[in-house]
Every structure is written in structure tokens, then in C-alpha cells.
């Protein structure tokens, strides 16, 4: 029979629960390690972007030092803050936050789902977003966009915090960060970038050409919303948008046909509402897998 605790004294169960909450997280002297600013930055990035490779973690948080990243990832995995997997050979080691790690990250987001068949797209997005953040750009991930739009008024507050002028406080869900794509649907961009002057640019990271009808619907949605959009894609995606040479002359791309890009494959002028560029990826393993993926969708000239 459990002894009755004195008033104000901590019971065994309370002590056990307290130890469970703080054990190994790097917050107390008895944890055996101390959580650093770099560790917390990784937790935020892994929560916002869903999944990172070890190479991406090292580049973003430890100035490219892979062994430093490997050590800190191991500590945070043992502490129950990160999941770590090396099951997908081409990706090497990948990490994403546990629910406990997501709470410590303080982004307001829940823990991401385990990466599945869309792992390559997740990692490509992370590479692009982290690269933009490294240049000083403010980047909102799709997870942040969806979470903000799910709460009345939060999207407007978020944009105002980042210096976006003239934000309509009474905007409907999907009218600020997403774009309406029909009577009842909205299209969510992969990333939203806030430029220094407060303008917003949607970013689409595309690895595979979409069906032409679906692509037209998305492009029409951006045009009607007046939202600038940057497409970063593999070679087949850029060719689908901008056109390509054929055996009997130039074959127009979907964006060309919609008069959103100049004809003949000419690059759009700076400031054009639609830009289509090759996808830049720094992680060599991810870049190699994207190249293999693109080769399976490349059409002959």
C-alpha cells in the first residue's frame, strides 16, 4: 500500500513524470549533455520542413561539418527528440522530429509524419527553402502555411509580422497564402517567400511534369490571384512550362500557350509574374536522385 504523501511533498508518480519529461533533453545538469542553439535550430528546421538529410542538417546548423551533425543527431535521437533512419539508401541518414522534439522546437507545428514515397520531394523542398533562408529570405513552408490558414486571422497576423503591407484582415481561408483554384478548392504552394519589400512570391518545386490540364488549372489560379510564382523544376518540368525544340520546329510549353511566358523558350524578364528555372539542389545525394528521377521523364527532342 502506497504511503500517503505529506502536504506539499512531491509524490513518487510526480517525480517519475518529471524525470520522464526532462530526461535526456539537454535542459538539466543530469541529462549528460546540454542542448545548444544549433540543436534547437535543427529541431525547428526538421519540424518546419518535415525531413532533412544529415548533409542538409550539417550545412544549415554546423557550417557543413558532417561529423558534428552526426554526433548531435545521435544525442537528440537518444533523447527522444528526433527520429533517425537510414533505410533509403540513396538518401543516407534522414531525420524528422518526434512530437516531443516538435514541442521543444516551438514552431507551433505538430510532429511531421514519417517520410514515405514523397521523401524525394520533401528533401528537395528542404534544400531549396534552407538555401533561400541562408540568403536572408523569409520562407514559409507548406506546413506553416496550412497551420496559419487553419486558424481565423492567423494568416493575416503572420504576414503582418513579416512586413507584408496592406494585408486584408477579413480574407477568407486560402485567399492569403494559398490561391483559389475553382469554386471550392484552393492550391497550396510548396513555399511562400516574403521579399525584403514585403511582396510575396509562391514557390513550386516540381520533380515530375503534371498532366497539362492540372498544370493549366494551377497557373490560371496564380494569374487570377495576381500572385507571382517561381517554378523550380527538373529539366522535363521546365520544358513542359517553357517549351522545347522538336523535329519540325518549336513545341510550345503550357505556360507559353497561356501567354505567361515568352514564346520560343526565351527567359522571362525580371519581375515577370511567372518564372521557370532549373531546380538548384546542394545536397549531392538528393541531387543525384533527382537527376535519376528526371531521366525517367525526359522526352526526346
Amino acid at each position: 500500500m502506497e504511503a500517503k504523501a505529506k502536504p506539499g511533498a512531491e509524490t513518487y508518480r510526480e517525480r517519475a513524470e518529471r524525470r520522464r519529461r526532462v530526461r535526456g533533453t539537454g535542459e538539466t545538469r543530469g541529462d549528460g549533455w546540454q542542448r545548444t542553439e544549433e540543436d534547437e535550430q535543427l529541431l525547428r528546421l526538421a519540424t518546419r520542413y518535415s525531413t532533412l538529410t544529415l548533409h542538409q542538417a550539417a550545412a544549415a546548423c554546423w557550417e557543413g561539418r558532417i561529423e558534428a551533425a552526426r554526433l548531435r543527431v545521435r544525442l537528440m535521437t537518444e533523447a527522444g527528440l528526433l527520429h533517425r533512419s537510414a533505410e533509403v539508401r540513396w538518401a543516407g541518414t534522414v531525420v524528422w522530429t518526434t512530437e516531443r522534439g516538435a514541442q521543444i522546437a516551438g514552431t507551433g507545428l505538430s510532429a511531421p509524419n514519417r517520410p514515405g514515397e514523397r521523401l524525394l520531394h520533401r528533401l528537395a523542398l528542404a534544400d531549396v527553402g534552407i538555401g533561400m533562408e541562408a540568403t536572408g529570405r523569409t520562407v514559409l513552408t507548406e506546413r506553416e502555411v496550412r497551420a496559419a490558414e487553419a486558424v481565423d486571422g492567423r494568416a493575416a497576423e503572420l504576414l503582418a509580422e513579416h512586413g507584408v503591407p496592406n494585408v486584408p484582415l477579413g480574407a477568407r481561408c486560402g485567399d492569403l497564402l494559398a490561391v483559389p483554384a475553382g469554386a471550392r478548392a484552393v492550391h497550396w504552394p510548396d513555399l511562400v517567400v516574403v521579399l525584403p519589400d514585403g511582396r510575396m512570391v509562391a514557390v513550386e518545386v516540381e520533380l515530375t511534369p503534371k498532366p497539362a490540364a492540372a498544370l493549366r488549372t494551377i497557373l490560371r489560379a496564380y494569374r487570377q490571384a495576381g500572385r507571382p510564382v517561381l517554378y523550380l523544376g527538373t529539366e522535363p518540368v521546365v520544358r513542359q512550362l517553357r517549351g522545347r525544340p522538336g523535329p519540325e520546329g518549336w513545341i510550345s510549353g503550357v505556360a507559353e500557350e497561356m501567354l505567361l511566358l515568352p514564346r520560343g523558350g526565351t527567359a522571362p524578364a525580371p519581375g515577370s509574374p511567372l518564372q521557370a528555372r532549373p531546380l538548384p539542389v546542394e545536397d549531392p545525394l538528393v541531387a543525384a536522385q533527382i537527376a535519376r528521377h528526371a531521366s525517367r521523364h525526359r522526352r526526346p527532342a
Side-chain angles (χ1 to χ4, degrees):
M1 185 174 180
E2 185 175 352
K4 192 172 182 179
K6 296 180 180 179
E10 189 178 41
T11 67
Y12 170 79
R13 289 182 180 178
E14 288 171 339
R15 290 196 300 273
E17 175 62 14
R18 177 173 57 81
R19 287 196 300 268
R20 187 193 65 79
R21 286 198 309 269
V22 303
R23 179 177 59 84
T25 63
E27 295 173 298
T28 62
R29 183 176 299 177
D31 287 348
W33 67 293
Q34 184 175 2
R35 204 166 63 234
T36 66
E37 291 183 8
E38 292 80 6
D39 298 335
E40 293 178 353
Q41 169 72 345
L42 175 56
L43 292 176
R44 288 191 292 270
L45 291 174
T47 303
R48 293 174 56 229
Y49 287 101
S50 299
T51 313
L52 301 180
T53 65
L54 191 65
H55 183 279
Q56 290 169 341
C61 304
W62 288 281
E63 300 180 336
R65 292 177 285 127
I66 294 291
E67 288 309 314
R70 196 186 311 277
L71 170 62
R72 304 309 294 185
V73 163
R74 179 178 62 80
L75 288 172
M76 285 187 281
T77 301
E78 292 171 353
L81 307 183
L82 286 176
H83 292 298
R84 176 181 57 177
S85 173
E87 295 176 359
V88 180
R89 180 176 298 179
W90 63 258
T93 299
V94 298
V95 298
W96 64 101
T97 47
T98 64
E99 196 60 53
R100 194 180 184 194
Q103 290 174 358
I104 290 174
T107 63
L109 300 172
S110 61
N113 295 327
R114 182 183 183 89
E117 58 187 29
R118 287 180 60 81
L119 174 62
L120 182 58
H121 187 256
R122 276 195 187 189
L123 297 178
L125 266 180
D127 212 288
V128 168
I130 290 172
M132 288 181 168
E133 290 188 43
T135 66
R137 293 288 189 261
T138 296
V139 178
L140 303 176
T141 68
E142 184 179 354
R143 301 197 77 221
E144 291 171 302
V145 166
R146 287 180 177 269
E149 289 283 23
V151 179
D152 289 341
R154 178 54 187 151
E157 292 175 359
L158 182 63
L159 293 178
E161 289 170 7
H162 290 303
V164 177
N166 305 317
V167 177
L169 298 180
R172 297 174 302 170
C173 175
D175 283 359
L176 289 180
L177 296 169
V179 290
R184 298 182 179 180
V186 296
H187 175 75
W188 302 94
D190 288 325
L191 302 170
V192 173
V193 178
V194 181
L195 301 179
D197 61 5
R199 288 181 298 129
M200 289 191 300
V201 177
V203 177
E204 299 283 352
V205 175
E206 296 288 354
L207 306 182
T208 308
K210 292 183 180 296
L215 181 57
R216 289 190 187 96
T217 297
I218 295 170
L219 292 175
R220 192 177 300 116
Y222 279 120
R223 180 170 61 187
Q224 292 174 347
R227 179 77 56 81
V229 57
L230 168 62
Y231 268 84
L232 299 174
T234 57
E235 180 189 358
V237 170
V238 174
R239 286 157 67 102
Q240 183 189 31
L241 287 163
R242 295 174 58 172
R244 60 190 178 89
E248 299 180 0
W250 186 259
I251 300 174
S252 293
V254 173
E256 277 187 327
E257 294 170 354
M258 298 179 68
L259 305 180
L260 292 171
L261 287 177
R263 292 191 178 276
T266 304
S272 170
L274 175 64
Q275 300 278 333
R277 303 175 189 165
L279 172 63
V281 176
E282 295 296 328
D283 186 313
L285 295 178
V286 177
Q289 183 64 13
I290 288 175
R292 288 190 288 267
H293 177 87
S295 69
R296 296 194 289 268
H297 296 275
R298 188 173 291 118
R299 296 179 181 178

